[in-house]
Amino acid sequence: MVNMAAAGEKGGSWPRWRSLGVSVILLAALCRGGSVERKIYISLNSTAPCVRLLNATHQIGCQSSRNGDTGVIHVVEREEDLTWVLETGQTPPYMVLLEGNLFTKDTLLKFKESLRISGIAVTYSKPPPPEGFSLDLPCPNDGFGVYGDDHGAQYSHCNGTLWNPLGSGMSYEDFQFPVFLLQDENETEVIKQCYREHNIPVNDTAPKYPLCAMQLISPMHAVTSTVTCMRRNSIQMSFSINPEAVCDYLAGFNVWSTVKPVNNSGVLAPEDQVVVSASRLDGRSFFWNLAPAAESTVSSLVTQLAAAEAIHKMADAQSLPRNIMFVFFQGEVFDYIGSSRMVYDMEKGKFPIRLNNIHSFVELSQVALRSNSSLWMHTDPVSRSNDSVNTEVERMIEVLKSSSKGTNVTLQEIDQSQALPPASFQRFLRARNIPGVVLTDHRAAYQNKYYNSMYDTAASINAHYPSGLSKEEALNYVTEAAQSLSEAATLLAKTLYQLAGGNDTAEVRADVESVTRMLYGFLVMSNNSWFQSIIRSDWKGLLEDKPPQYYVTAAMVNKVTPNPPTSFLISVLANLTGQVVNYTKEECQSPDKGADPQREFYEYLWVQGPLDANSTTRTPFCVRSTHRSHLAQSPAFELNEWDSTEYSTWTESRWKEIRARIFLVSSHELEVITLVVGIVVLLVSLGATYFINSKADILFTSAQDSGSVAY
Ligand SMILES: *[C@@H]1O[C@H](CO)[C@@H](O)[C@H](O)[C@H]1NC(C)=O
Ligand SMILES: *[C@@H]1O[C@H](CO)[C@@H](O)[C@H](O)[C@H]1NC(C)=O
Ligand SMILES: *[C@@H]1O[C@H](CO)[C@@H](O)[C@H](O)[C@H]1NC(C)=O
Ligand SMILES: *[C@@H]1O[C@H](CO)[C@@H](O)[C@H](O)[C@H]1NC(C)=O
Ligand SMILES: *[C@@H]1O[C@H](CO)[C@@H](O)[C@H](O)[C@H]1NC(C)=O
Ligand SMILES: *[C@@H]1O[C@H](CO)[C@@H](O)[C@H](O)[C@H]1NC(C)=O
Ligand SMILES: *[C@@H]1O[C@H](CO)[C@@H](O)[C@H](O)[C@H]1NC(C)=O
Ligand SMILES: *[C@@H]1O[C@H](CO)[C@@H](O)[C@H](O)[C@H]1NC(C)=O
Ligand SMILES: *[C@@H]1O[C@H](CO)[C@@H](O)[C@H](O)[C@H]1NC(C)=O
Ligand SMILES: *[C@@H]1O[C@H](CO)[C@@H](O)[C@H](O)[C@H]1NC(C)=O
């Protein structure tokens, strides 16, 4: 307003401007959405949306219409309540507030068919459904593993063994309405309160207006398939001045490290042999960026880290005949993004290690839920039909068995006619017959009742913390899970040590305290004193007072950044396997300029350091280790083969905004009256403005003389 008045003064016709200014103020007051909105709307602040994902041929997930979908709230707590929203209720469409234990395939399919549902807000079921809950597929990663026409076709499509029989596959369905998860019980209570006060049907007749309504806003830009959205992206990129992509491919970083340093700019000599130890680094659920992944990912990730620490502590680790590579694969849930890229780069010579350097392959899959402390050794029946491979696999099994002595893990062999479970190793087998074993806590179907769901949390793998512990106490509280995983880590470390040519495994032992702290950091709270002291300085903002989420992020058009769990993993790996070096911050952050003649063999992290005694300052320092990040982007996008059936093609749609809110709606009559009154007010004010304008000369003459004083 001030600017406008000043401009008016300069133009010399300020009275006219002033009256215009007055009406602009009036209009602004009328339209000031904000203040009016705040009185009527209550925004929901802790929700997780279901978003749209696309692959070569399909779209899956959820979306709202462009301006969001609105409906009258109806709380569905029991099966019977469904009748109201699906049939009898008189004020459709409904926004269903769905109790977590009813969030099933049956219910979702009913909602999908009904035109009376405008969206769903789901709550957590407490406790988690005891019978299990998984919206993932019964045959995960089907079609992208090793089994197919060229390799054991009789095992394809989980023929013979269904790995995730509880899986309903709903995570891979397409929904034309928004679905949100309510993550805060107090907010859920606010909604239920509003519902109880306004919406409860009395004697099965609709209650009177105003009613409590909810609006879920999650419109998605991308449609149909990755082929369509990537084509649209590239048209945007080439013709638009202001390019705006509609979808991004899912991507992140694999993390790997070797016991003996490897020249990252070179290539390993063909006779150098490497034992590979692998696990995965990602998970998912039905909802965006929600993937606690305790059993499906964290159990093996932590076990592998502890094994890496144990081996690095061995005095002769650097002089073992074979090297050992630890690798954590990213994006495996989405058709093996990370492992397929690593195999691709190894074949193309864009990785310091080649496929023919790989001596053997040990993979940890889900390992925390061992009944009778059993770990099962899965092998591939097809590659074992080759005698030389079979001999190697049998030797690995012997080594594993001998390593289990002295730990409380019982190793079990599986009938040789059973195929491998979904595993990154399958992508390596696709390229080459490498001898390998996949270790899991299940013989056939998963022990994990909550595979790729929001209930796969610390509690589901027996990491229970007594209430009343301080953060510091909880960090060091040895849970049942920590005990059991450190046994598995010892077994893994002894196995790798022997496979690498080491003899005396008596000293190889994983540290239960490390496992304890890792479980806390990776499962319960990343913002703990240990993570704070070992995290790279510029990543400290990623630490949070809640569990990390293992959802693989979307790349912002060729700009991939490590997601929080990857950053934590790198920091932990560097701490457990690296050395502190005496470098300044500058030398540490740009080692190319530094003096280290070995710099091609290492990565350097400038870490925050522990708190100084009695103060809030930290003493940062430089840590050198052999960890590396490796871009985990599906080769399909490198090759621009958006319809690939060989490589993962998953993309995530972009969106402008995602939010949710509740408010009271009046009846349609009332809305019409409000509109009419609004129009009348507008016409009157326009009339007034016109009148003031036309009579401005008369109305404002006296002010003209004392112009500047008036302001
Ligand atoms: C894409 O996903 C859908 C839904 O899961 C699946 O039916 C289809 O086979 C997938 N397409 C490809 C090429 O993998
Ligand atoms: C919910 O409200 C209760 C009581 O007001 C409070 O103690 C609790 O911390 C709140 N929970 C959350 C998650 O905000
Ligand atoms: C969400 O946050 C806003 C602003 O802080 C607050 O007014 C609103 O009440 C919150 N919503 C709920 C459901 O608590
Ligand atoms: C509901 O119906 C019962 C029986 O028909 C009647 O006694 C009661 O008054 C009704 N309640 C309301 C609020 O209309
Ligand atoms: C690492 O490999 C590169 C490329 O082969 C080579 O130029 C460099 O000298 C090697 N560095 C060391 C320290 O051996
Ligand atoms: C068995 O596998 C090895 C290594 O992959 C290969 O060199 C050999 O030719 C295979 N033998 C047969 C009979 O296929
Ligand atoms: C992390 O924890 C520290 C105390 O240890 C606290 O001061 C800080 O606010 C926390 N950060 C976040 C993001 O919660
Ligand atoms: C790892 O962390 C511990 C505890 O914070 C610290 O004492 C140790 O110096 C760190 N080691 C390295 C190599 O960073
Ligand atoms: C660390 O480096 C500085 C400067 O290069 C040197 O003065 C100091 O003595 C070194 N400290 C150790 C422990 O090597
Ligand atoms: C830390 O504070 C305590 C009590 O305030 C004091 O006794 C101790 O000497 C201090 N330590 C250091 C290193 O300043």
Side-chain angles (χ1 to χ4, degrees), residues 69-74 91-95 118 212-215 663 665:
D69 289 317
T70 305
V72 172
I73 297 173
H74 194 83
T91 52
Y94 286 102
M95 271 290 168
S118 56
C212 193
M214 181 165 6
Q215 186 180 29
F663 50 90
V665 280

Side-chain angles (χ1 to χ4, degrees), residues 76-79 82 98-104 107-108:
V76 173
E77 285 172 325
R78 289 156 303 164
E79 206 77 46
L82 286 171
L98 190 63
E99 214 56 40
N101 53 0
L102 289 176
F103 186 43
T104 59
T107 325
L108 281 172

Side-chain angles (χ1 to χ4, degrees), residues 471 527 532 543 545:
K471 256 166 111 174
N527 187 22
Q532 282 164 6
L543 297 174
D545 283 347

